[in-house]
Amino acid sequence: MKIVKEGDSRQVICPECGLTHATYQLRDVSFNDDSGLVKNILAAVCNHCNTVVSIPKQSTAKVRAEYNKIKTPIDVRLPAHFLDILNIATQKIDASLGDSFNKALVLYYLHALSSNRFSQNDLGLLLTSDLAKAKASKRFSVKLNEKSINEIKSLMASQKLKNNTEVFKSLILRINEDIVQPKQPKHLAELQNFAAAFA
Amino acid sequence: MGFKDVKSQVIICLENGSYDHEVREKIDIKNLFQCGQLNDDEVIELIRHTRGNEYESSPHHQVSTIDVHVLKPFKNGKRWYIKFYFIEPDAMFISVHESGV
Ligand SMILES: [Zn+2]
């Protein structure tokens, strides 16, 4: 396997400078969802603008370790209108937000409910509503750190939910009740603050 | 360079570990290869699996002399998306992810 050294130079296409050269240097590189940081890995840094342009294969092991530490993929299937609920809620919080905020909103609710800052009242009951009964034809996937996984477990226990699907379904139905249905959405100022930090 | 040559050259780069992952300042969590969630053998397998009609290439938008190669193999019920180019001295992977997610 090829191993590069600190100070080695290579050709790159830099997004700012085009075809140019970069030098391998030690850098901290973060994940683009800002969930974590891979410290002190060799990365090719553009000689002109000092931007990290690429990481060599040998740095992938540290990236993987950091990624696995913080991320567990969770995949559930949901009825199509559940994703519409999230889109509408996101738009009501801030019309300039893209749908990438949808997952953040769900995780925010997970945190607020599991910590009892938002009331857990009758969360499980929402699953018996008419809105909950539909074909689950869409995929919803999130990557969660250990903290969120534990929050899911605590909600399952306190609300007698059977699995991840039931947790996410009830969270989204609560978002429907809190944000989509009311003329005056609940928790609006707080969610707008969160959205501002997210953007 | 034809598809067959692209395929064999990129597999050689993977086997030799002579490749970089392109980064736009941050590591893209959707890029499973960059995040170490797919290993070299799995990516080689996907590339071997790619048919001629699942391949396209076009000049890099910044450097027209460099071709960007896109492979869209279908494996285990999933469509994959593999994007890379060759640049001295090796290959540069732009992205490897499941498409349509
Ligand atoms: Zn540059």
Side-chain angles (χ1 to χ4, degrees):
Chain A
M1 187 191 127
K2 180 183 163 182
I3 297 288
V4 301
K5 308 186 298 297
E6 191 176 356
D8 281 356
S9 160
R10 65 159 302 129
Q11 207 176 23
V12 291
I13 301 176
C14 169
E16 294 299 321
C17 316
L19 191 61
T20 181
H21 282 85
T23 304
Y24 287 108
Q25 299 178 33
L26 289 168
R27 286 294 163 100
D28 296 344
V29 187
S30 57
F31 292 106
N32 64 352
D33 63 348
D34 289 324
S35 60
L37 181 76
V38 191
K39 285 187 183 156
N40 234 5
I41 50 169
L42 277 179
V45 179
C46 175
N47 290 353
H48 292 104
C49 70
N50 213 29
T51 305
V52 172
V53 181
S54 72
I55 52 172
K57 183 232 153 56
Q58 74 203 53
S59 295
T60 311
K62 285 185 86 172
V63 174
R64 179 177 54 228
E66 198 59 40
Y67 182 96
N68 289 345
K69 194 157 80 190
I70 51 174
K71 303 286 181 189
T72 309
I74 302 272
D75 267 298
V76 297
R77 296 199 71 86
L78 297 174
H81 65 278
F82 276 57
L83 302 185
D84 295 338
I85 287 171
L86 290 178
N87 285 327
I88 296 165
T90 290
Q91 288 303 296
K92 281 183 90 167
I93 291 164
D94 181 343
S96 71
L97 289 167
D99 60 8
S100 60
F101 183 72
N102 293 1
K103 287 175 188 175
L105 177 62
V106 174
L107 296 185
Y108 192 86
Y109 256 79
L110 171 63
H111 180 64
L113 285 163
S114 70
S115 59
N116 274 309
R117 216 159 42 70
F118 291 1
S119 162
Q120 289 189 13
N121 257 351
D122 295 338
L123 193 61
L125 263 186
L126 292 169
L127 295 172
T128 62
S129 69
D130 191 51
L131 211 51
K133 292 166 193 147
K135 196 173 140 215
S137 47
K138 292 265 186 172
R139 225 179 107 186
F140 182 79
S141 28
V142 277
K143 298 232 167 63
L144 302 181
N145 58 22
E146 213 184 330
K147 193 176 119 234
S148 301
I149 300 275
N150 288 333
E151 289 173 348
I152 287 181
K153 286 181 188 155
S154 90
L155 267 191
M156 273 187 200
S158 65
Q159 293 299 311
K160 307 207 167 21
L161 304 170
K162 286 201 288 286
N163 48 40
N164 292 336
T165 306
E166 289 199 352
V167 172
F168 284 110
K169 271 188 163 179
S170 61
L171 290 173
I172 294 168
L173 290 170
R174 177 56 64 79
I175 289 169
N176 177 54
E177 284 200 331
D178 284 359
I179 303 171
V180 174
Q181 297 306 327
K183 275 215 171 65
Q184 291 294 324
K186 277 192 187 171
H187 318 299
L188 191 61
E190 175 177 343
L191 291 168
Q192 283 171 335
N193 277 338
F194 169 56
F198 180 86
Chain B
M1 206 190 305
F3 176 46
K4 270 183 96 173
D5 296 324
V6 168
K7 223 168 157 173
S8 59
Q9 192 176 332
V10 74
I11 287 173
I12 289 169
C13 290
L14 283 160
E15 284 171 345
N16 294 343
S18 59
Y19 63 86
D20 267 34
H21 294 287
E22 191 176 87
V23 168
R24 287 286 168 261
E25 290 188 57
K26 294 179 178 183
I27 296 162
D28 182 1
I29 56 155
K30 275 202 228 78
N31 185 341
L32 298 178
F33 192 29
Q34 182 169 97
C35 292
Q37 305 303 301
L38 283 173
N39 64 32
D40 292 340
D41 289 340
E42 288 167 321
V43 174
I44 288 172
E45 207 37 51
L46 285 172
I47 291 169
R48 288 220 167 98
H49 210 82
T50 308
R51 300 174 204 186
N53 61 357
E54 295 166 330
Y55 164 75
E56 44 196 67
S57 78
S58 56
H60 192 284
H61 68 281
Q62 281 174 292
V63 185
S64 60
T65 51
I66 292 179
D67 281 330
V68 176
H69 309 284
V70 178
L71 279 56
K72 297 175 183 170
F74 192 79
K75 197 164 184 279
N76 301 333
K78 289 175 193 167
R79 178 70 68 190
W80 291 84
Y81 188 89
I82 303 169
K83 195 173 184 182
F84 60 91
Y85 53 89
F86 297 108
I87 186 163
E88 287 304 319
D90 43 32
M92 181 71 73
F93 280 90
I94 299 173
S95 194
V96 179
H97 60 84
E98 288 175 37
S99 68
V101 178

